[in-house]
Amino acid sequence: MAGGFAGGGAVAGRAEFYEGKITGYFILACIVGSFGGSLFGYDLGVSSGVTSMDDFLKKFFPDVYNRKQAHLLETDYCKYDNQVLTLFTSSLYFAGLVSTFGASYVTKRRGRRASIMVGAASFFAGGAINAGAMNIAMLIVGRVLLGVGIGFGNQAVPLYLSEIAPYRIRGAVNQLFQLTTCLGILVADIINYFTDRLHPWGWRLSLGLAMGPATAIFIGALFLPETPNSLVERGHLEEARRVLEKVRGTHKVDAEFEDLKEASEAARAVKGTFRNLLAVRNRPQLIIGALGIPAFQQLSGMNSILFYSPVIFQSLGFGSSAALYSSIITGSMLVVGALISMVTVDRLGRRFLFIEAGVQMISSMVVVAVILALKFGHGEELSKGVSTVLVVAICLFVVAYGWSWGPLGWLVPSELFPLEMRSAGQSVVVCVNLFWTAAVAQCFLAALCHLKWGVFVLFASLIVVMSIFVILLLPETKQVPIEEIWMLFDKHWYWKRIVRRDPKYQGNIHQQQEMGTGSA
């Protein structure tokens, strides 16, 4: 739970003296905090369904609606290729990208809870504006406010969960964020299935119901404890000790509290936290946590399938209701994957889940590409057998992502960064994630139109690169206290040659050894 190493030197080696149990207070904090993920998930699910609803398209995108009707029962790669329509989806993520730097300031200066509350308030406002939208400009303004909400929420929630969790179950606790994201997607898919039948205002209900989870999260956050890490970082030592004892259910928290204080002292000694990310000793955190994993999470193609699953299924010749029903199936697979990941991540480890899922996702994308190359794009309706195979392949892809890149894409970066640059590091994670989310969302329908089945070969190729990246560069972090993770890079076959070049790194190695000997 304590911070880690970068510029200073938090004591490592006290973890064996950490005491505590799972308390009701801790469970409540995790449940309320993790529901920040439902904002992200609900938007993913609602956006994908609304953009395929006829009433929505007729009001805002009549050209897309007319093209869709011309190919109603036919397969057509280019049925939904419209840059303004994709801007409706991607504008949220561009807004989130920018807002995450403001979120970094609030998260560090005002606490994780404050960022969660700001995100919920902004998301509420965006949902209200979208529900009452009369033109595309109102839609985009609403999406921007939703994006600010997601930028704040995605910045604060993974940090909150990683910091408040006991290190032995940090993986499972952090994945509550992904679970609530998946549940948000599934709930949105189910809502879209029913609101699609409410003419002509069903889409307004889908968009407006975003205010529901935002309200629940804001109210819940009023009763949410701040993390001891954040309280220590801001100098509230007595309150931090009190919260730590209450969360752990014991007064014997001396070892963990000392680690927190020393990590905070190290953090205060570091100036320019964003610049500190570029230091040689922090190169593994920069490459793996801040740049690689958040980018690859989106380049897997998963969010494109989530954004546009009804659109994809309609382009494949499924009817409107059948497309939304198929989205419910894929949303359910995502929840199943998240649950499996929660149970296995602290047993099998992060690397195993990444690598196994990579094989499964590559195979699924190849199957989809082969079927589309042979059977699709000739203006004919796909047979039930071929359609079933496509849905199964997509579901296998989704469930594999659900136990790997989905949850681990947030978990692993959040546990790599030491306290002094954790907020800044997480901001870069969210920024990179949302940049690629927006870029893929903006380009996917055009790529589907021009590359046709080749777009799925492209995603399969990228997953090959992602899997090799994990195999070669990511050390296993399961059941390693968060303040000791930096030591993994000193033992890694490649990273040790990088981090040992930094003179400050060697100085802090000696400091750690001396302090460890003294405490023993």
Side-chain angles (χ1 to χ4, degrees):
M1 179 173 166
F5 160 86
V11 171
R14 286 201 187 102
E16 62 185 288
F17 302 111
Y18 288 9
E19 296 190 37
K21 59 186 177 181
I22 305 300
T23 64
Y25 189 66
F26 164 73
I27 293 173
L28 179 63
C30 289
I31 292 174
V32 175
S34 66
F35 262 86
S38 66
L39 301 181
F40 191 29
Y42 188 83
D43 180 79
L44 282 172
V46 160
S47 299
S48 67
V50 164
T51 52
S52 70
M53 292 182 182
D54 288 346
D55 293 323
F56 177 81
L57 293 175
K58 279 190 288 187
K59 183 169 182 62
F60 298 106
F61 305 98
D63 291 342
V64 176
Y65 173 76
N66 292 332
R67 187 160 67 234
K68 171 184 172 182
Q69 295 303 307
H71 301 273
L72 189 61
L73 296 176
E74 298 177 357
T75 57
D76 185 356
Y77 283 108
C78 300
K79 193 182 292 187
Y80 289 89
D81 182 22
N82 182 288
Q83 287 300 296
V84 180
L85 177 61
T86 54
L87 182 62
F88 166 76
T89 297
S90 59
S91 59
L92 180 150
Y93 303 103
F94 285 120
L97 183 157
V98 175
S99 69
T100 187
F101 292 103
S104 174
Y105 176 85
V106 174
T107 300
K108 185 170 184 176
R109 301 296 181 184
R110 303 297 179 186
R112 285 50 165 157
R113 187 179 69 167
S115 275
I116 293 172
M117 294 176 71
V118 170
S122 182
F123 201 84
F124 180 94
I129 292 175
N130 271 350
M134 300 304 296
N135 51 53
I136 292 178
M138 285 187 71
L139 279 179
I140 300 301
V141 169
R143 296 291 290 174
V144 168
L145 288 172
L146 291 172
V148 172
I150 286 177
F152 272 79
N154 285 14
Q155 205 274 349
V157 173
L159 289 186
Y160 185 91
L161 295 174
S162 284
E163 289 182 345
I164 207 162
Y167 74 89
R168 290 185 178 87
I169 58 170
R170 186 179 63 245
V173 170
N174 186 277
Q175 293 199 27
L176 287 170
F177 176 75
Q178 178 68 10
L179 178 62
T180 56
T181 299
C182 298
L183 289 172
I185 293 170
L186 180 59
V187 169
D189 288 337
I190 294 172
I191 288 173
N192 285 337
Y193 180 75
F194 289 104
T195 57
D196 186 45
R197 305 177 185 183
L198 301 176
H199 304 289
W201 51 272
W203 63 270
R204 293 188 185 275
L205 183 59
S206 287
L207 294 176
L209 285 174
M211 294 183 287
T215 301
I217 291 165
F218 186 88
I219 293 174
L222 294 173
F223 305 96
L224 201 64
E226 185 55 85
T227 68
N229 306 62
S230 178
L231 292 169
V232 169
E233 186 178 27
R234 290 181 287 136
H236 306 303
L237 297 183
E238 291 184 7
E239 185 180 355
R241 172 89 188 206
R242 186 167 59 251
V243 171
L244 184 60
E245 291 178 356
K246 193 169 183 180
V247 170
R248 296 290 179 258
T250 178
H251 295 294
K252 299 178 180 179
V253 295
D254 292 339
E256 189 169 2
F257 191 62
E258 285 302 311
D259 277 357
L260 279 173
K261 290 194 295 183
E262 288 170 7
S264 179
E265 291 170 4
R268 291 192 186 96
V270 175
K271 305 298 182 182
T273 51
F274 280 101
R275 186 171 62 251
N276 194 49
L277 279 170
L278 301 177
V280 173
R281 63 188 176 277
N282 296 323
R283 195 61 47 80
Q285 290 93 328
L286 176 68
I287 299 299
I288 300 173
L291 300 178
I293 288 179
F296 285 143
Q297 187 189 48
Q298 302 311 317
L299 293 173
S300 68
M302 179 62 221
N303 272 2
S304 293
I305 291 175
L306 291 179
F307 290 148
Y308 303 116
S309 54
V311 170
I312 291 171
F313 287 125
Q314 284 194 19
S315 295
L316 297 178
F318 291 68
S320 177
S321 295
L324 290 173
Y325 183 69
S326 298
S327 297
I328 295 175
I329 295 175
T330 55
S332 300
M333 291 297 100
L334 204 54
V335 172
V336 169
L339 290 171
I340 292 173
S341 189
M342 287 183 67
V343 173
T344 60
V345 67
D346 289 316
R347 299 177 184 177
L348 300 178
R350 285 68 160 151
R351 283 171 53 86
F352 175 85
L353 293 178
F354 270 132
I355 296 167
E356 187 283 330
V359 174
Q360 187 169 325
M361 292 165 70
I362 293 166
S363 302
S364 299
M365 284 292 96
V366 170
V367 169
V368 171
V370 169
I371 291 177
L372 297 186
L374 297 176
K375 300 290 185 179
F376 185 68
H378 306 295
E380 300 174 359
E381 187 174 1
L382 294 175
S383 68
K384 288 185 177 180
V386 171
S387 299
T388 300
V389 173
L390 277 175
V391 173
V392 169
I394 289 175
C395 284
L396 289 174
F397 177 90
V398 170
V399 76
Y401 177 91
W403 66 54
S404 60
W405 285 94
L408 302 184
W410 296 107
L411 166 62
V412 173
S414 73
E415 60 188 8
L416 291 183
F417 297 109
L419 180 63
E420 59 265 33
M421 61 180 190
R422 191 171 297 156
S423 181
Q426 187 67 13
S427 287
V428 177
V429 170
V430 176
C431 181
V432 171
N433 185 288
L434 292 179
F435 171 81
W436 286 107
T437 302
V440 172
Q442 190 66 30
C443 298
F444 176 73
L445 290 181
L448 181 64
C449 178
H450 296 288
L451 296 179
K452 299 179 172 57
W453 54 269
V455 72
F456 296 98
V457 175
L458 174 62
F459 284 137
S461 302
L462 288 170
I463 298 169
V464 171
V465 175
M466 291 156 49
S467 300
I468 294 173
F469 177 88
V470 168
I471 292 170
L472 295 180
L473 299 180
L474 179 66
E476 182 55 65
T477 60
K478 71 172 181 177
Q479 298 188 2
V480 179
I482 200 168
E483 74 280 356
E484 296 182 8
I485 284 178
W486 66 271
M487 292 189 289
L488 298 175
F489 300 116
D490 186 58
K491 302 172 184 176
H492 189 270
W493 72 274
Y494 175 75
W495 292 121
K496 66 182 180 182
R497 291 181 284 182
I498 303 296
V499 298
R500 290 177 182 177
R501 297 176 187 170
D502 195 311
K504 289 186 178 180
Y505 182 90
Q506 293 296 336
N508 279 283
I509 285 286
H510 295 311
Q511 180 184 357
Q512 290 285 342
Q513 292 172 345
E514 291 172 3
M515 294 173 75
T517 303
S519 64

